[in-house]
Every structure is written in structure tokens, then in C-alpha cells.
Amino acid sequence: MTSAMTGQKPATPGLYGGTSSRRITVRDIAAAKRRGEKWPMLTAYDAMTASVFDEAGIPVMLVGDSMGNAHLGYESTVPVTLEQMTMLAGAVVRGTRRALIVGDLPFGSYQEGAVQALRSATHLVKEAGVGAVKLEGGERSADQIRLLVESGIPVMAHVGLTPQSVHAYGGHPVQGRGEEAAQQLLRDAKAVQDAGAFAVVLELVTAELAAEVTRGLHIPTVGIGSGVECDAQVLVWTDMAGMTEWPGGRVPRFVKQYGRLREALGEAARAFADDVVGGAYPADEHSFH
Ligand code: KIV
């Protein structure tokens, strides 16, 4: 049982379960890597859900462009706009007191170059109040990362499978298989660290390669589908809680469902509907006289 669950003060306050009256910062993240501490990250897209995760002690929340699929009903992350991101990231910031909130830079808001990236990131930091931004790409995004970091905006990088390139991949292939691909991934991870990123997401990278990257970097790796050796792990919250509906019921191998929220919510909705149709709700105690 963790200290977050028992409510007791841990001997060494960590990112998860540590008591804190302030927000987690990128300095806390760096210290966790030095301590060899693992930490969890979840996505969030609204204030109420984010407040639940904040109370649960989740130290870092990502307002991911996965909101395209998980929240806005699109088929991919590609259509998400900076305005949509800013609106939902602002809600997540307002719903939390402790977590570091990272806002994703949507497709098309940084690919033109460093100056465009700075304009978009500045908008997200000023308007939504996020403490850091995330963008996809390794060597190809190093200039953008460098300028943001020099301008005072902490950056989480994202290499391996980068979902904004879904049309180029033609699917969601595991990354880093084969010597050439592995060498490119190692170069990408090193490039984002050298450019000043404070952490790097490794998405769908083989566990062996992710372990090698994690050992070789002084910034933390945040794995998704990349094995247990990463410093941190992230899941899309609707996947984690059993809310996502999977085509054909096939849950991807890397997802572990920690709840059955879709079922629970459906049951609640049906119980409410049955009561309304049967005249059991509202009862006298729900009525004013
Ligand atoms: O958008 C997102 O949620 C992400 C995570 C899956 C890393 O990029």
C-alpha cells in the first residue's frame, strides 16, 4: 500500500505519494531521475477528471492531443487545433493543484520551425497556464526544442511512434526494430536531451531498446508500450480506466485496464433511465414543497 493511499507521510517524499503544497516542477522530475524513482503520468482533458487524478497523487498530467480520439470523437490526433488544446488544457490546470500539467503542441502548430513552435507554446503557456509543453520528433524537432527551452518553456519530447505521423506510417508499427531503426532512435533520444528537453516519451519502442535509451540518458524516459525499464509510464486515462471502446473488443497489448468505467457509467445511465420511465425518480426526498 502506498503512502498516498494510507495518507501517511512517506520517509522520502517522492513524486507519487509525496506530500506537497505546491505544484511539481521539472526540477522535481530531474531529482526523481537522480534517485532512480519511477513515476506515473496520465492524460487528462477536463477539470473534474483531472481533479480526481490530482487527489490520487498523479504527479504529471498530459493534456495529450490524444484528446482527438479520446475526447473529441476524431479518428486520430491530426485534426486537433491549438485552440482546442488551449481550452482543455486550461480546464485541467484549473482542476488541479499539485500536478505538473504538460500541454501537447498539436499537429501543424510547430512543424514549420522554431519560431512557429515558440509562438504556439507561448500561447499555450500564457492562455492555459500549463507548466510545460510536449512535441513530437527527435532530431527533426531539436531546433524547436532548443528555442523553447532557451525561452523558458520546459519541453517534454516524444520519439518512437509519433501518432501525428499516422498517415506516413499507415498504422501504428512498433519502433526501433532492426539495427538502422534502433540507431536512429538512439540518435533521436540523444538529440532531444542535448536540445534541453526535461523528459522524453518513448512510444511503442521495443523493451530492450527503451531500456538502453533509459540507461543512456540523464533525463527520464516516459514509456507507453515500451517496457518496464522506462523511468515513468504514461497511459491515456480512458484506456487505463476501461472507458475506451476498442474495435472488435481488442484491447492493445500495451494497455492495462485498471477499471471498468464504461460498464459502470452505462449501468448508472440505465438505472437513471429506468427510474425516470418507471416514475421512481424523482422521489419525494428529491422534490421541493
Ligand atoms: O497525446 C497523448 O496522449 C500522448 C501520450 C500517449 C504520450 O502523446
Side-chain angles (χ1 to χ4, degrees):
M1 190 177 289
T2 67
S3 52
M5 290 158 81
T6 60
Q8 285 167 3
K9 217 172 177 177
T12 312
L15 283 186
Y16 169 56
T19 51
S20 173
S21 52
R22 59 164 179 82
R23 279 203 192 264
I24 304 284
T25 68
V26 293
R27 289 183 60 173
D28 299 314
I29 305 281
K33 172 88 182 188
R34 289 195 295 274
R35 292 194 297 267
E37 179 187 320
K38 287 180 178 280
W39 47 273
M41 176 164 107
L42 281 175
T43 67
Y45 317 109
D46 69 277
M48 203 180 288
T49 312
S51 74
V52 173
F53 299 156
D54 207 44
E55 282 165 20
I58 301 297
V60 186
M61 277 179 236
L62 170 67
V63 190
D65 60 359
S66 51
M67 69 171 62
N69 318 67
H71 196 76
L72 298 173
Y74 296 126
E75 293 212 335
S76 76
T77 62
V78 171
V80 174
T81 67
L82 187 59
E83 278 321 309
Q84 289 166 333
M85 177 58 64
T86 305
M87 189 171 83
L88 301 195
V92 170
V93 170
R94 288 190 293 277
T96 53
R97 289 186 301 112
R98 180 174 178 271
L100 170 66
I101 308 301
V102 182
D104 236 347
L105 288 183
F107 182 60
S109 72
Y110 63 95
Q111 280 83 356
E112 283 174 30
V115 172
Q116 189 205 20
L118 181 58
R119 199 179 310 121
S120 302
T122 305
H123 182 80
L124 200 50
V125 170
K126 284 173 78 101
E127 301 298 319
V130 296
V133 302
K134 178 170 85 56
L135 53 76
E136 294 185 3
E139 287 184 319
R140 68 181 155 98
S141 296
D143 286 347
Q144 284 92 326
I145 294 171
R146 197 168 297 109
L147 183 60
L148 297 196
V149 173
E150 281 170 7
S151 305
I153 300 176
V155 178
M156 179 178 280
H158 184 155
V159 303
L161 185 113
T162 47
Q164 292 176 4
S165 307
V166 61
H167 297 308
Y169 293 127
H172 294 98
V174 173
Q175 301 292 299
R177 284 193 169 139
E179 188 52 28
E180 206 178 308
Q183 288 306 324
Q184 182 60 54
L185 194 109
L186 288 165
R187 280 197 299 275
D188 282 336
K190 181 76 170 42
V192 300
Q193 173 176 272
D194 291 349
F198 74 90
V200 56
V201 171
L202 303 181
E203 181 159 353
L204 277 194
V205 173
T206 61
E208 295 74 16
L209 184 57
E212 188 179 341
V213 172
T214 303
R215 281 192 301 272
L217 295 186
H218 61 74
I219 59 171
T221 56
V222 185
I224 176 162
S226 300
V228 72
E229 298 294 329
C230 296
D231 298 295
Q233 297 289 334
V234 57
L235 280 177
V236 168
W237 87 259
T238 49
D239 299 350
M240 178 279 299
M243 182 70 178
T244 307
E245 190 182 17
W246 301 100
R250 280 189 299 276
V251 180
R253 182 188 173 106
F254 66 88
V255 171
K256 181 169 175 184
Q257 295 175 306
Y258 288 86
R260 303 169 79 89
L261 206 57
R262 193 173 185 87
E263 225 172 276
L265 213 49
E267 266 168 31
R270 275 189 296 276
F272 165 69
D274 289 347
D275 273 6
V276 169
V277 171
Y281 177 83
D284 198 51
E285 77 241 40
H286 307 121
S287 307
F288 302 93
H289 296 289

